[in-house]
Amino acid sequence: LTSALHPSTARAEDGSSHFTVRDIEDPSGHALDAFFASLDRTANKQAGAVTRIAHYGDSFIVGDMITKTLRQLYQERYGNAGPGYVLAGRPWDWYHHDGIRNGASNGWNIYRASNGGPSDGFFGYGGVTLTTRRNNRRVWFSTDETETGPLQVSSIDIHYLAQPGGGDIEVIVDDEHLLTLSTEGEESHSAFHRVDVPLGPHEFVLRTAGGPVRLFGAALERNEVGVVYDSLGLNGACTDVLGRIDGEHLREQYSHRQPNLIVVAFGANESNRPGLVADYHQTIT
């Protein structure tokens, strides 16, 4: 496990061996160099050195069951730069992100890339989008207790769609109205707005205030050197799910979020595809 977190470490401090995965297909031998270089900068506590990891997967990732442990291990070793990206609302009852409580009022339409949605393919960084035309509809993100104590953050970066005729969003922090954000745009495109707050536990509420609004989620971080591990689960997803997100839209999301490593962990749900698994087993038997 130590070796998995950093390739230069083959043994623990007590001298015991740890397994190392070496069978990743990489003809050049250097595909992960940029990622490990970022980790080195983070380990050396260089100013602004935040390493971000985006981990896509299916239902296990929806519940943050695997990614929670990975996040803890990376942050214990390299520093805690925040909990990362959280979907708007609760697209599944078991959706969970360690250290964050989130939800949405009624009156929102929820669309998931894993089971259809808007034909434009604008699902955001995490593959889920919420839309409404109603006033006073709310989405909230609140820090919570973790195994190491209360979670603290110093910023929230709101991910939404700018669109013609887009409505307004009131941003409320700890029960105080902070600003009104317009989602109006000449054409539909990814948009983001970051709000900085003093480091500590916080509650952020986004409340609609007239006109159509489309939200994707928000990234909660700390202004510190460390690792951010984004848990991006899509229930029932198969290997083709990211192809349902518009390519240019996804590039906009990555250009803004700038993950240093993208983990794509799908495959279990392929067993529901007629003939796929059977053909494979017939071949090997």
Side-chain angles (χ1 to χ4, degrees), residues 85-104:
Y85 186 84
V86 183
L87 295 174
R90 298 182 60 80
W92 302 277
D93 289 342
W94 54 95
Y95 176 71
H96 173 72
H97 191 297
D98 186 48
I100 299 293
R101 288 181 287 111
N102 75 306

Side-chain angles (χ1 to χ4, degrees), residues 36-145:
F36 290 123
S38 178
L39 272 184
D40 284 339
R41 290 190 295 272
T42 301
N44 291 327
K45 304 300 180 183
Q46 294 184 16
V50 175
T51 297
R52 293 186 177 86
I53 302 170
H55 189 135
Y56 289 93
D58 46 32
S59 54
F60 285 102
I61 308 306
V62 170
D64 203 18
M65 286 181 273
I66 297 171
T67 42
K68 170 186 173 181
T69 301
L70 289 167
R71 185 182 305 111
Q72 289 175 340
L73 290 170
Y74 272 104
Q75 292 183 343
E76 286 172 3
R77 179 161 184 173
Y78 294 101
N80 182 351
Y85 186 84
V86 183
L87 295 174
R90 298 182 60 80
W92 302 277
D93 289 342
W94 54 95
Y95 176 71
H96 173 72
H97 191 297
D98 186 48
I100 299 293
R101 288 181 287 111
N102 75 306
S105 63
N106 59 17
W108 292 92
N109 300 308
I110 304 176
Y111 300 102
R112 313 161 184 87
S114 53
N115 58 353
S119 59
D120 57 25
F122 296 166
F123 288 99
Y125 178 63
V128 173
T129 180
L130 271 63
T131 70
T132 189
R133 291 178 173 273
R134 300 174 63 180
N135 291 345
N136 200 30
R137 302 300 97 182
R138 295 175 298 119
V139 165
W140 61 86
F141 308 87
S142 179
T143 56
D144 199 3
E145 292 288 329

Side-chain angles (χ1 to χ4, degrees), residues 35 38-39 42 48 50-54 81 125 194 219 221-222 226-230 256-262:
F35 169 63
S38 178
L39 272 184
T42 301
V50 175
T51 297
R52 293 186 177 86
I53 302 170
Y125 178 63
R194 173 173 164 156
E221 296 193 359
R222 301 158 59 98
V227 169
V228 175
Y229 204 107
D230 292 334
H256 179 77
R257 191 73 184 127
Q258 295 189 346
N260 300 99
L261 177 69
I262 299 175

Side-chain angles (χ1 to χ4, degrees), residues 227-255:
V227 169
V228 175
Y229 204 107
D230 292 334
S231 177
L232 306 170
L234 291 162
N235 193 61
C238 293
T239 53
D240 62 354
V241 67
L242 295 181
R244 301 176 189 174
I245 304 175
D246 178 79
E248 181 58 34
H249 173 71
L250 196 55
R251 279 189 288 271
E252 291 173 349
Q253 300 290 313
Y254 288 154
S255 178

